Amino acid sequence: SAVISQKPSRDICQRGTSLTIQCQVDSQVTMMFWYRQQPGQSLTLIATANQGSEATYESGFVIDKFPISRPNLTFSTLTVSNMSPEDSSIYLCSVPSGNTIYFGEGSWLTVV
Amino acid sequence: KQEVTQIPAALSVPEGENLVLNCSFTDSAIYNLQWFRQDPGKGLTSLLLIQSSQREQTSGRLNASLDKSSGRSTLYIAASQPGDSATYLCAVRPEYGGSQGNLIFGKGTKLSVKP
């Protein structure tokens, strides 16, 4: 199993600012996934972060808007840049372990 | 492109009822399927995972089935309780990603169990 800690759990952000979300895992993992869940919607994969390489972004998501760092096998950050109200979402990191995928508690961002 | 659909979008039942949540997916080439529970403003809790070679999994009052060839899964909840009120998400893991692949989610079924 894997225990994942995310920070912050919640934040209210001003339009135009950037916020960095941290994800810490209690074990070493090769891959980490970042998802977004907009209000009333399901989870959508933003990018896959491998240690030591550039993150792989899904269609509709770009590195300038969502830069990701993966400095080691237990930690990753996702930055939401130049935020607008449309970025108000829950952001979740997750890791595969065994046959399943574990999720953090999520970071609920509200952009005003 | 894999698409996951969940029906119904919302469901309200009185306490004690048995209920079924449905999930369908368009591409049968899956590695596994997972059901999650999400409480308001919270992350995801994994409920049941079914490997592509399995037909069902059970945990307590929950039973999930998988018919890979028809692209369907159901989550059966027996003797529902108010504490079961949450959004239930179905997600599939494509075969090409294997055990390191990401999940593709449905939009969820919001369940409300009335006392």
Side-chain angles (χ1 to χ4, degrees), chain B residues 14-75:
Chain B
E15 181 177 6
E17 273 204 7
N18 302 324
L19 57 100
V20 175
L21 308 182
N22 296 291
C23 173
S24 63
F25 46 96
T26 55
D27 187 346
S28 62
I30 64 169
Y31 182 74
N32 59 33
L33 181 146
Q34 205 161 350
W35 283 92
F36 292 88
R37 168 185 174 140
Q38 186 177 32
D39 292 284
K42 299 289 188 181
L44 276 66
T45 302
S46 180
L47 298 173
L48 290 165
L49 182 147
I50 310 177
Q51 293 297 117
S52 63
S53 59
Q54 296 175 327
R55 298 285 291 183
E56 67 176 348
Q57 285 286 327
T58 298
S59 177
R61 294 182 294 108
L62 305 179
N63 175 277
S65 69
L66 173 64
D67 184 342
K68 199 174 95 163
S69 60
S70 68
R72 295 181 183 182
S73 176
T74 61
L75 179 67

Side-chain angles (χ1 to χ4, degrees), chain A residues 17-71:
Chain A
T17 63
S18 299
L19 182 80
T20 296
I21 302 166
Q22 299 179 6
C23 180
Q24 179 75 52
V25 187
D26 69 342
S27 58
Q28 294 185 336
V29 292
T30 304
M31 302 179 73
M32 294 177 78
F33 301 115
W34 285 98
Y35 287 86
R36 180 176 75 179
Q37 186 179 29
Q38 294 177 301
Q41 301 298 313
S42 190
L43 281 78
T44 301
L45 182 67
I46 297 172
T48 302
N50 291 324
Q51 194 271 333
S53 64
E54 293 278 335
T56 302
Y57 288 83
E58 297 298 303
S59 176
F61 297 96
V62 295
I63 188 171
D64 290 345
K65 175 68 175 177
F66 298 101
I68 288 172
S69 78
R70 185 80 204 275

Side-chain angles (χ1 to χ4, degrees), chain A residues 6 8-9 19 21 34-38 46 61 65-66 78-80 83-84 86-93 104-111:
Chain A
Q6 273 189 243
S9 58
L19 182 80
I21 302 166
W34 285 98
Y35 287 86
R36 180 176 75 179
Q37 186 179 29
Q38 294 177 301
I46 297 172
F61 297 96
K65 175 68 175 177
F66 298 101
L78 170 76
T79 299
V80 187
M83 285 186 283
S84 67
E86 291 71 35
D87 295 319
S88 298
S89 299
I90 303 174
Y91 293 85
L92 300 106
C93 72
E105 286 285 307
S107 298
W108 190 310
L109 303 187
T110 301
V111 184

